[in-house]
Structure formats: C-alpha cells, structure tokens
C-alpha cells in the first residue's frame, strides 16, 4: 500500500501544515500512517515533504517486507527533517561497541543524504571510525578487502598475533618496513573489548599501550579554522533548494562570523577555557571600535555579534569535527552590553521615529497605487516588508462577518460589510486578525486584480507581486535580500522632497512603528502587542495566552478609532486612488 500523497495544502486550526507519510504500528498494533507536522511556512513545508518522501522511498525500496514500517531510528531522522533540521544526532545504544556505532552511523548517513548525521558520543565514533579504516583494508586472508567487509568476518586474534610478532622483531633490532596498504594494519582495535580466541590475549592496558593516546586521535584545530567550518555549516543550513541560494538571514550570519574572524585573533581551540571565552564575550560587551576607526560600535551591533559568537560556540560544542566541550559556566556568563554616554545623548520625548500626520498626508498624496498599498498595509495592519511579501490571497477575507460564536468570543459585532486579514505571522508564529480600512480594501482589490494576470492565482498564492509576477521576498540573483519595497518607499520620499516639501528620510519600517504608536494611543500597550502579533503582549504575564484568548475585538475598536484619525490622510488619495493608468507605476 502506498503512502498518502495529497496535492492540496491546507493548514490546520493552529496554522500548521501536515502530511501523512509512511507506516507504523499503533499502540494497539494497528498499521497506520505517521503524521508529520511541517511548520507554518508553506514553502518550507513543501521542501520538508519532498525530503520525507525521499527518506520513505529509500526505506520502502530496501525493505524485504511487503508492508514496510518505520523503525525507531528512521522515524527519529524523519521527525528531525520534518522540523527543518539539517542535522540529526545519533545516540549510542547501550553496550554498543565504538566500531558498530561508527558503522551504524555511516550506514545511516549513506542511506539518507537529505540530513547530516552526527554522533552523540563523539569519542566513541572517532575510535570506531579509526577501527573501520583498518578493517576495510583486510579480510580473513590478510588481503585488501572491500568496504563492505563484515566486522564479524575479521579475526582479531590474527591482528594481535601480528602485533606481537612485530614487537619481538623490533626488540631484536630487526628493522621493519612500513606496511603496504594491502597488509594487515600494525594496530589492534582501538578501545574495544577483544573476543575470546586461541591466540594470546592482551589486557586492556596492553592494548591501549599499542595505540595512539586519546589526545592524538582527537581532531585538533584553530579558532579561525573552526569558524570557517561553521560558515560552511550555515551555508548548508540556510540553503534554499527552490532558488539554489542561501537565505538572506543565513547570508547575514555568514557575514557576522566573518566579522568575528576579523576581530578575534587565531588561537588553538584547546585554549578556549572558561576565562578565555569570558574574554571573548567581554570584548563585545565593552563595545569595541569599528575596524580602522575610533568610533565605538553601536549597542545593537555588539549584541548581534555577541549572539553570533554564542551560536558559534554552541555549534562547536556539538560538532564532531572538533574536540571541544563548552565550560559548565558558559550559560552563566555576563552578556550585558555596556552603555555609553553617546547612547543617551539622542534620547528625548520621541524615542521612536514615527511619521507625523502631515508626513502621512504627503506620502498618500504623492504615492502611486503600489506605494499606497504599502502605506495602508503598514498603518492598518502594522505590516513590515516581510509581512506584506508573505501575505497570501487566502488570508484576506473581504466583506465577510465573523460567525456568531466568534463575535461572542471577540466581543465585537462584525457585518457583511467588514473585511479582515487573518494570518499567522511567520516570524513569531503568532495568529493575528486586523479589520481593514475601506481604502485598504480598495488597495487589496487592486492588488488581487494585478495578481490574477499571472499563473498560480489561488488561496495559497502570495497577494502582492511585482510587475513581472515575482514574489517580493525572492532573493536577487546574487542571493541578496530583495530591496524592492524599501527602494520604492525611498523614491517616494525623494519625489516629495523634489517638489519642495519637508519630510524626514525615515525608512519603510517606521510605518509599522507609526501604526503601532497610533494603536497604543487609542488603546494601551497590551492591545498594541496583539496588533503587532508579538509573542508575549503582556510582558509581566508569560501565561496570558495559555489561559485566555487574545482580545482582537479591542484591536478592531482601536483600528476603527485610528481610521477616524486618518481621514485627512485618506482624503489626499483623491476620488480614484487606484486608477488603471497608474498601474504602470506599480513597481
């Protein structure tokens, strides 16, 4: 029986996409399909489904059973893949020898190329890997063996006998040539109990004296070498198969690590003890100057680089490439960034830059249809460029009232004349609803008309695209972040200034803050947090979402009050703000 393959994607009530792939036995012994939760991002869910089906195809093709099932290890690998992980840490079974552990890990990695398998017991894996290298060079006759040589076919007694003979010859002064690749290695198994045989047995102390010490087996390295390996890991972790590029966030992290390399001198990884790591952290806490300048870095920049350093050290602790373990006191180290006098010089009554009402009027007056769409979604819903670029057609509900039950929960009476955007914010994973201004409805209808001219229009299609029908969050050919929305907004401000008007050069992101500030004016900080889809709107109560529904009804009331306040802004759009002749101005 094949696994279920659906073509349509529909999130569940929590906003998660799911797929049933492969088969397993329930607790009652009934054969059933396993349900994987693939996250809230549709694109990532599609990628993860492809990987899961590839894993299951390998399992089904290799199984000798007519009805293959997930085994526990394979299912754990699949679960990690469903969560979007690029690595899976394989635990070592109780009593499992290092050689068998290394062989099992390598076999698992060979079968499932979609995920990188790492050892939980790194020392045992290194020992086992060393043994496998020797075992692959011999068979029962001492000749070159294939890589598929079974461990149980190799007689350890022969290895011990040859080792003992070599000792005797060396003691007698007989020179020995270096062994060729097709002869038995000159060392016994490393770190494993030897089975009983008729040959002379070596004690564990004798066996370990014949081999390299543990420190010699450990993979040593330098700090800069490890950071460059970490950059390679980031490029794999944040690689997007659909575009064959690294994501913008991944690219940012790679650049942050490059800055770490420039600021921190190279040194052996073995020197990174508690005091040394505390010094690395203290370097960023103390606000170093920018390279080749005498200007201290901003507190935000230092915080970002300190976070990058912390992520690197955590990766280094789990990496099998380097023998390093983070100190016990690592989690208790002080990471507070020092505040300087220059940080307080700019503080005043207006701590957050927001647009004034007069500036909003100018933006609406000089805006093209696309500019007005961006302006309205920022003010009405608190959307930044990421939210605008990721909004789907199916998340817009035009002229649709809530059900009586939902109206009771919301404590807000909606009618068939009301329109809403209902979606999960991708960044925080928090569900949000926003009632729309009438002018925002017109802007969205204009965007839908434009979107229908391109293939793929439907509930799962992105709402706002450029003139060529491309999503606004698609990376450039060079893999850089798409700058179309901020560039459009910058050109709008330049047009206003060129006409002799006074307006500050604030970024597009300040529109979201302007909307949030106005919502707070007409309500309070909690409602502003719900409006912004923050993870914890009430900072003093982390459990508020666990015991109550979010007060979207109060958010709708605040948006209605904001709508009245912005009437002078709406008037600047004229009687036909989204005319067809201006469509060419879209992008």
């Amino acid at each position: 029986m094949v696994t279920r393959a659906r073509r349509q994607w529909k999130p569940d009530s929590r906003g998660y996409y799911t797929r049933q792939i492969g088969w397993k036995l329930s607790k009652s012994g009934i054969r059933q399909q396993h349900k994987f939760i693939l996250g809230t991002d549709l694109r990532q869910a599609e990628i993860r489904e492809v990987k899961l089906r590839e894993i299951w195809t390998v399992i089904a093709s290799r199984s000798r059973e007519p009805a293959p099932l997930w085994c526990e290890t394979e299912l754990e690998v699949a679960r990690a893949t469903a969560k979007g992980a690029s690595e899976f840490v394989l635990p070592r079974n109780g009593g499992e020898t290092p050689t068998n552990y290394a062989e099992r890990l390598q076999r698992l990695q060979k079968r499932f190329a979609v995920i990188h398998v790492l050892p939980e017991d790194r020392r045992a894996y290194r020992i086992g890997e060393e043994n496998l290298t020797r075992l692959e060079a011999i068979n029962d006759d001492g000749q070159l063996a294939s890589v598929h040589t079974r461990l149980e076919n190799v007689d350890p007694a022969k290895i011990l006998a040859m080792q003992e003979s070599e000792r005797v010859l060396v003691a007698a002064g007989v020179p020995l040539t270096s062994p060729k690749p097709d002869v038995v290695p000159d060392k016994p198994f490393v770190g494993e109990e030897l089975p009983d045989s008729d040959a002379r047995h070596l004690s564990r102390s004798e066996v370990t004296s014949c081999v390299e010490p543990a420190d010699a087996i450990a993979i040593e390295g330098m700090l800069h070498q490890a950071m460059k390996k970490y950059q390679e890991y980031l490029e794999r972790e944040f690689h997007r198969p659909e575009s064959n590029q690294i994501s913008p966030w991944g690219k940012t992290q790679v650049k942050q690590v490059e800055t770490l390399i420039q600021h921190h001198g190279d040194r052996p990884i073995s020197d990174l003890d508690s005091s040394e790591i505390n010094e690395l952290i203290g370097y960023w806490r103390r606000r170093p100057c920018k390279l080749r300048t005498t200007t201290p870095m901003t507190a935000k920049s230092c915080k970002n680089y300190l976070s990058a350093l912390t992520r690197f050290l955590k990766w280094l602790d789990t990496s099998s490439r380097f023998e390093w373990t983070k100190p016990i006191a690592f989690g208790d180290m002080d990471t507070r960034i020092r505040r300087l006098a220059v940080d307080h010089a700019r503080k005043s009554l207006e701590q957050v830059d927001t647009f004034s009402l007069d500036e909003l009027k100018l933006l609406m007056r000089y805006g093209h249809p696309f500019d007005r769409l961006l302006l309205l979604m920022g003010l009405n819903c608190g959307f930044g460029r990421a939210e605008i670029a990721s909004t789907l057609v199916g998340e817009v509900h035009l002229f649709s009232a809530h059900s009586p039950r939902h109206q009771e929960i919301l404590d807000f009476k909606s009618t068939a004349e009301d329109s809403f955007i209902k979606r999960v914010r991708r960044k925080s994973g928090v569900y949000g609803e926003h009632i729309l201004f009438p002018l925002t409805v017109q802007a969205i209808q204009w965007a839908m008309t434009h979107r229908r001219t391109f293939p793929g229009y439907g509930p799962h299609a992105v709402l706002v695209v450029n003139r060529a029908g491309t999503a606004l969050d698609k990376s450039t050919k060079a893999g850089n972040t798409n700058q179309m929305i901020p560039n459009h907004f910058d050109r709008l401000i330049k047009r206003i200034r060129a006409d002799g008007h006074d307006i500050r050069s604030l970024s597009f992101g300040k529109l979201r803050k302007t909307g949030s500030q106005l919502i707070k004016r007409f309500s309070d900080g909690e409602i502003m947090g719900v409006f912004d889809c923050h993870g914890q709107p009430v900072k003093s109560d982390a459990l508020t979402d666990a015991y109550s529904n979010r007060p979207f009804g109060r958010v709708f009331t605040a948006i209605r009050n904001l709508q009245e306040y912005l009437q002078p802004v709406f008037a600047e759009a004229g009687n036909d703000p989204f005319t067809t002749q201006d469509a060419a101005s879209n992008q």
Side-chain angles (χ1 to χ4, degrees):
M1 185 181 296
V2 298
T3 187
R4 183 180 302 177
R6 291 179 174 173
R7 295 182 179 273
Q8 298 295 324
W9 287 91
K10 184 178 180 181
D12 60 18
S13 59
R14 300 175 299 166
Y16 289 96
Y17 294 99
T18 61
R19 278 292 187 266
Q20 292 182 341
I21 300 174
W23 298 87
K24 66 178 183 179
L25 293 180
S26 66
K27 294 181 180 179
S28 57
I30 300 176
R31 190 168 180 267
Q32 63 181 22
Q33 288 197 284
H34 184 78
K35 183 177 181 180
F36 292 96
I37 299 177
L38 306 180
T40 58
D41 186 278
L42 177 58
R43 295 182 184 178
Q44 291 299 320
E46 291 172 340
I47 295 171
R48 294 170 189 178
E49 183 199 20
V50 172
K51 293 182 178 180
L52 287 172
R53 293 199 182 281
E54 182 177 335
I55 292 175
W56 177 251
T57 299
V58 172
I59 294 172
S61 63
R62 289 175 173 267
S63 177
R64 298 180 180 178
E65 300 295 330
L69 299 172
W70 288 107
C71 76
E72 187 59 34
T73 301
E74 294 166 342
L75 190 55
E76 288 300 322
V77 172
R79 288 189 179 118
T81 304
K83 293 179 180 179
S86 62
E87 296 180 344
F88 171 74
V89 179
L90 180 67
R92 182 185 177 191
N93 296 330
E96 187 175 27
T97 64
T99 304
N100 288 336
Y101 179 50
E103 183 192 38
R104 185 163 62 94
L105 186 146
Q106 293 178 4
R107 186 169 61 247
L108 197 65
Q109 180 66 83
K110 186 176 180 181
R111 291 179 66 185
F112 306 128
V114 297
I115 193 168
H116 187 46
V117 184
L118 298 176
E120 180 184 60
D121 190 335
R122 291 176 291 176
R123 184 177 182 279
Y125 176 76
R126 288 196 309 275
I127 294 173
E129 189 179 34
E130 178 84 2
N131 291 338
L132 287 175
T133 302
R134 295 169 182 156
L135 290 170
E136 287 173 358
I138 61 172
N139 58 18
D140 284 347
D141 299 324
Q143 302 298 321
L144 184 66
S146 69
V147 295
H148 302 292
T149 300
R150 299 293 297 173
L151 297 183
E152 56 266 25
N153 294 334
V154 181
D155 187 359
K158 294 183 179 181
I159 301 176
L160 292 178
M162 294 186 70
Q163 176 70 31
E164 183 65 17
S165 299
E166 180 179 341
R167 284 183 181 179
V168 174
L169 292 173
V170 171
V174 178
L176 297 176
T177 58
S178 300
K180 297 180 180 180
D182 59 346
V183 300
V184 180
D186 61 349
K187 295 177 184 178
F189 295 123
V190 181
E192 297 195 32
E193 295 291 348
L194 300 176
D196 293 336
S197 67
D198 295 335
R200 175 186 179 274
H201 291 277
L202 298 181
S203 65
R204 175 162 294 277
S205 60
E206 290 177 307
V207 171
T208 54
S209 67
C210 301
V211 301
E212 299 167 294
D215 290 342
I217 301 173
I219 305 175
E220 296 291 348
M222 302 294 288
L223 178 62
H224 287 184
Q225 175 194 9
M227 286 183 171
K228 291 185 181 298
K229 289 294 182 182
Y230 178 56
Q231 287 178 312
E232 295 176 5
Y233 159 77
L234 292 173
E235 291 172 353
R236 294 194 307 271
E237 175 71 13
F238 292 95
H239 179 262
R240 289 181 171 178
E242 68 274 13
S243 62
N244 197 28
Q245 293 176 333
I246 184 175
S247 69
W249 171 229
K251 201 166 188 177
T252 297
Q253 291 191 74
V254 171
K255 290 181 179 179
Q256 288 176 342
V257 177
E258 190 63 37
T259 302
L260 294 180
I261 294 175
Q262 295 173 0
H263 281 262
H264 294 300
D266 202 9
R267 68 202 75 184
I269 291 176
S270 56
D271 291 349
L272 298 182
D273 54 14
S274 295
S275 59
E276 190 67 19
I277 292 177
N278 199 37
E279 184 58 32
L280 294 179
I281 292 175
Y283 176 84
W284 297 106
R285 288 185 57 246
R286 294 188 291 271
R287 303 276 293 276
C289 293
K290 301 175 184 178
L291 291 177
R292 295 175 293 278
T293 71
T294 57
T295 304
M297 287 187 175
T298 64
K300 183 176 181 181
S301 294
C302 289
K303 182 178 180 180
N304 290 338
Y305 290 126
L306 184 53
S307 297
L309 176 63
T310 302
R311 289 191 295 269
F312 161 71
L313 293 174
K314 289 180 178 179
W315 170 86
L316 186 62
D317 178 60
T318 60
S319 174
S320 61
R321 294 176 178 268
F322 301 94
E323 180 62 19
W324 183 81
T325 303
K326 64 182 179 182
I328 297 177
F330 178 76
D332 297 327
M333 293 183 179
D334 189 2
T335 58
R336 292 173 297 179
I337 304 298
R338 176 185 297 174
R339 291 292 175 179
L340 304 178
V342 67
D343 299 330
H344 307 291
R346 191 176 168 276
K347 286 193 173 181
S348 62
L349 177 63
E350 188 175 1
Q351 298 186 28
V352 178
D353 288 328
T354 57
F355 289 99
S356 67
L357 188 63
D358 288 337
E359 289 174 326
L360 293 176
K361 290 164 65 176
L362 288 171
L363 292 171
M364 184 64 75
R365 184 192 311 167
Y366 282 85
H368 295 150
F370 182 72
D371 301 321
R372 290 169 177 166
L373 171 68
L374 302 180
L375 177 64
L376 289 165
M377 293 186 77
L379 293 174
N380 193 163
C381 307
F383 283 1
R385 60 178 177 175
E387 289 75 27
I388 293 175
S390 61
T391 298
L392 305 180
V393 172
E395 294 173 336
V396 179
H397 303 265
L398 300 181
F399 309 112
S400 175
H402 287 86
S403 67
R405 171 58 179 162
H406 286 174
Q407 291 188 34
E408 178 184 354
I409 295 174
L410 295 170
D411 191 23
F412 184 88
K413 299 295 182 181
S414 59
T415 68
E417 297 180 357
D418 294 324
S419 300
F420 302 86
I421 289 182
K422 306 174 183 179
R423 69 191 301 270
V424 174
R425 188 183 178 202
R426 308 299 190 261
K427 179 179 180 180
S428 61
V430 173
Y431 177 77
E433 291 191 17
H434 299 86
I435 193 169
L436 302 180
F437 304 148
L439 193 59
T440 306
V441 174
Q442 293 184 46
I444 288 177
Q445 289 174 323
W446 175 85
M448 286 182 170
T449 301
H450 176 69
R451 182 63 182 84
R452 285 192 182 93
T453 61
F454 299 100
Y457 180 83
H460 299 296
V462 291
L463 172 65
V464 186
V465 295
N466 65 12
R467 188 161 45 189
T470 306
L472 302 185
D473 57 356
K474 182 179 180 180
S475 301
T476 65
K477 292 182 179 180
N480 297 318
T481 304
N482 192 309
Q483 296 293 327
M484 181 178 173
I485 291 179
N487 288 344
H488 253 274
F489 196 74
D490 291 343
R491 288 195 291 267
L492 172 58
I493 291 182
K494 289 179 180 179
R495 288 200 303 270
I496 296 173
R497 286 186 159 186
D499 210 14
H501 294 285
D502 185 20
I503 184 172
R504 291 170 296 167
S505 295
L506 301 181
S507 66
F508 176 76
K510 299 303 186 292
L511 272 179
R512 170 178 167 84
K513 293 185 177 181
T514 301
S516 301
Q517 177 65 33
L518 292 173
I519 289 293
K520 187 176 182 180
R521 177 191 298 186
F522 295 115
S523 55
D524 54 38
E526 177 189 358
I527 300 306
M528 183 191 74
V530 177
F531 172 83
D532 288 331
C533 294
H534 286 167
Q536 186 179 330
V538 183
K539 297 300 181 183
S540 60
D541 188 358
L543 299 177
T544 180
D545 283 339
Y547 290 94
S548 64
N549 296 309
R550 293 202 165 196
F552 292 116
R554 293 171 60 190
V555 174
F556 299 159
T557 301
I559 292 176
R560 285 296 189 223
N561 292 333
L562 174 59
Q563 177 180 325
E564 292 299 320
Y565 174 78
L566 294 177
Q567 286 303 319
V569 177
F570 301 151
E572 296 290 338
N575 297 326
D576 197 3
F578 300 96
T579 55
T580 55
Q581 60 264 31
D582 284 337
S585 300
N586 179 26
Q587 303 91 38

